[in-house]
Amino acid sequence: MPENTKEQVLSVRDLDITFKTTAGPVHAIRGVNIDLYKGETVALVGESGSGKSVTMKAAMGILAKNATVNSGSIQFSYHHADGSPETVDLLQKDKKWIRRHINGKRIAMVFQDPMTSLDPTMTIGKQIMEGMLWHFKMPKAEAYKKALELLEEVGITDAEKRMKNYPHQLSGGMRQRVVIAIALSCDPDLLICDEPTTALDVTIQAKILELIRSIQKERGISVIYITHDLGVVAKVADYVDVMYAGKIVETGTIDEIFYDPKHPYTWGLLSAMPDLDTADDRLYTIPGSPPNLLHEKPGDAFAPRNRFALNIDDKAEPPMFKLSDTHYAATWLLDPRAPKVEMPPELKERIARMRTEAKKIEEAE
Ligand SMILES: Nc1ncnc2c1ncn2[C@@H]1O[C@H](COP(=O)(O)OP(=O)(O)OP(=O)(O)O)[C@@H](O)[C@H]1O
Ligand SMILES: [Mg+2]
C-alpha cells in the first residue's frame, strides 16, 4: 500500500528519557522514532537493556517515578465512538487521563510473565470482565457473555468452567491466553506484546504467536511486538526496528532487515540467531556488552563492539542513512566516504539459505 493511504496509529518522535539514580543520571532513551500503521505489526528488537520496554512504558504512562522525559512526542490516533478521529500526544497527558481513556481500552499490553499481570486472588472471569465494567459501564450479564466469547476466541475450551477458576489452576500457556483475552476485552486499537512468549515452552510459544497473529488479522488491530528473538520477529512482523543503547539503529520491512541488513549490530543479531537447518549453530555473537548509559561517550555507542568501526565512530554519532523509503540505518559505514564493507560471508550464506527456504514455503502454500 502506498504510504499516504495508510492510517497512522502511533508516531513516536525524538523520545528522550533519563532515569535519576544514586550513581547519576542514566540516559536510557536517546532520540527514538517509531511509526506504526493500522493493522500492521512493528517488532522492536534489541539486546537486554536497549530500551524496548521503557519506550513502550512511556506510551502507557507507566514509567517509573525516577524517569524524566527530556523531550519528544508520542502521537496516538484513534476514533471516538461516533467515528470522529482524534490524535493525542500521550506525553502531554497525565497518568490519570491515560488510565481512564487509553490503557486497557485503546492500548492494551501483554507482558512476559502472565502471573505478574493476573491477580491471584480473583477468578479469571472477574478479571476479564473488570475492564468492560469500568471502561464501558457495561451491564454485568453482558460483560459475562462477552468474557465467555473472549475465552473461546483465545482458544480456551470449557469457558464457563474456566471463568470460575483462579490463575494458579491454569497452565502457563492458558494463563497467557487469559491475559490476551483481558487485553482484547475492550477492543483496543493497539496491542503491545512485551516478550509475551519467553516464559513459555517452545511448542506453547508457537501457539501463542499464531494466536496473536490470527487475532490481529481478524480484528485489524495494530501490534508492537517487543522481543530479543529474531526467530519470532520473522513470524509476526511487517516492520522491524532494531534498538541499541536507547536508539533505533536500523529500521526496515521484514525483508529488508532479514535479507539486506546494513547495520553491523543487525548483522550480529542475525548471526547470533540459532540456525534452523543446522540445529544450534550460531555463527557469531556480538563481542562485549552494551554501553553503560550512566557515562555516555561521544560518537557511535556501538563502536567499541563493532569490528568494522571507523575513526569517525569515536567522534560523531552517525545519522540515519536512507536506503529506501522504508529502510534506514545509523552507521558510518553507509557514508559515501566510508570504505566499502560487506557483511560477514557466513551471514551472507545464511541469508541466501533463508531466502531459499522462504521461497520453498511460499511455493508450497
Ligand atoms: N527505573 C529505572 N531506573 C534506572 N534505570 C532504569 C529504570 N528502568 C529502566 N532503566 C534502564 O533503562 C535501560 C532500558 O531498560 P528497558 O527495560 O527498556 O530494556 P529492555 O530493552 O526492555 O530490556 P529487556 O530485554 O531485558 O527487557 C536499561 O539500561 C535499564 O537499566
Ligand atoms: Mg524489556
Side-chain angles (χ1 to χ4, degrees):
M1 228 193 295
E3 208 76 354
N4 54 10
T5 61
K6 293 206 281 191
E7 201 178 312
Q8 185 141 17
V9 172
L10 197 74
S11 163
V12 179
R13 282 291 165 275
D14 303 318
L15 184 65
D16 191 295
I17 297 173
T18 307
F19 289 103
K20 215 180 274 162
T21 71
T22 49
V26 172
H27 198 182
I29 306 297
R30 305 181 306 130
V32 162
N33 298 315
I34 295 173
D35 288 300
L36 176 65
Y37 295 89
K38 190 172 165 26
E40 295 188 339
T41 300
V42 166
L44 201 50
V45 297
E47 287 168 301
S48 186
S50 56
K52 307 180 295 292
S53 298
V54 169
T55 301
M56 287 306 120
K57 283 180 180 168
M60 304 284 284
I62 52 172
L63 281 172
K65 283 212 171 67
N66 61 333
T68 307
V69 178
N70 305 312
S71 65
S73 62
I74 301 182
Q75 303 281 348
F76 175 61
S77 303
Y78 57 94
H79 293 269
H80 290 289
D82 65 6
S84 59
E86 179 84 80
T87 296
V88 293
D89 181 353
L90 295 173
L91 290 181
Q92 299 304 324
K93 299 288 183 183
D94 60 45
K95 287 189 177 181
K96 204 172 147 203
W97 188 91
I98 292 183
R99 252 204 317 277
R100 185 82 199 94
H101 297 280
I102 301 293
N103 285 7
K105 186 176 172 189
R106 302 195 184 273
I107 304 182
M109 210 153 167
V110 177
F111 292 100
Q112 171 172 346
D113 179 5
M115 267 329 236
T116 57
S117 27
L118 293 174
D119 182 339
T121 68
M122 220 197 265
T123 61
I124 300 301
K126 249 201 163 136
Q127 295 188 56
I128 302 177
M129 289 161 65
E130 210 176 24
M132 296 185 272
L133 298 176
W134 192 67
H135 281 299
F136 301 135
K137 309 276 172 290
M138 203 182 261
K140 247 193 169 152
E142 195 184 329
Y144 183 86
K145 196 171 149 259
K146 183 118 193 267
L148 281 181
E149 288 167 11
L150 283 162
L151 280 177
E152 275 156 27
E153 185 177 351
V154 298
I156 292 186
T157 50
D158 248 343
E160 208 133 6
K161 192 179 117 205
R162 289 301 179 195
M163 292 279 281
K164 297 188 201 86
N165 279 167
Y166 288 88
H168 74 267
Q169 292 172 293
L170 306 180
S171 67
M174 290 257 255
R175 275 185 220 132
Q176 199 58 307
R177 284 174 195 267
V178 169
V179 172
I180 294 170
I182 294 171
L184 295 174
S185 64
C186 295
D187 272 323
D189 305 294
L190 168 59
L191 191 62
I192 299 174
C193 302
D194 193 345
E195 303 271 9
T197 63
T198 28
L200 306 169
D201 76 54
V202 182
T203 44
I204 313 283
Q205 274 186 16
K207 289 199 175 123
I208 296 288
L209 278 186
E210 249 167 60
L211 176 67
I212 293 172
R213 197 68 178 152
S214 74
I215 284 168
Q216 176 186 25
K217 287 220 171 104
E218 196 106 323
R219 292 178 171 237
I221 54 181
S222 313
V223 175
I224 292 183
Y225 206 103
I226 298 177
T227 180
H228 58 262
D229 183 350
L230 279 171
V232 164
V233 170
K235 293 196 187 86
V236 300
D238 301 301
Y239 293 91
V240 185
D241 288 336
V242 180
M243 204 161 176
Y244 185 77
K247 272 198 172 171
I248 308 286
V249 295
E250 183 159 8
T251 179
T253 63
I254 187 95
D255 282 0
E256 284 166 338
I257 297 297
F258 273 80
Y259 300 148
D260 192 23
K262 293 294 189 199
H263 198 292
Y265 179 60
T266 313
W267 294 346
L269 289 180
L270 286 167
S271 301
M273 222 167 95
D275 198 319
L276 299 176
D277 296 337
T278 48
D280 199 13
D281 159 39
R282 283 158 208 248
L283 298 177
Y284 168 75
T285 46
I286 307 162
S289 48
N292 185 349
L293 295 171
L294 199 55
H295 307 287
E296 255 182 294
K297 290 205 186 83
D300 184 348
F302 186 60
R305 304 174 72 189
N306 183 3
R307 61 164 141 154
F308 309 103
L310 307 169
N311 286 334
I312 189 170
D313 278 311
D314 295 327
K315 298 182 192 86
E317 280 198 78
M320 276 292 216
F321 288 95
K322 182 174 179 174
L323 297 147
S324 79
D325 283 346
T326 47
H327 193 187
Y328 292 80
T331 166
W332 284 119
L333 294 176
L334 293 172
D335 189 280
R337 292 161 294 180
K340 192 150 173 50
V341 169
E342 293 267 357
M343 71 173 78
E346 317 85 68
L347 178 60
K348 212 169 190 171
E349 278 164 35
R350 168 176 282 190
I351 289 174
R353 270 208 312 280
M354 291 198 301
R355 263 183 192 281
T356 322
E357 279 307 307
K359 262 218 187 88
K360 268 195 224 152
I361 293 169
E362 241 169 63
E363 279 162 12
E365 270 169 3

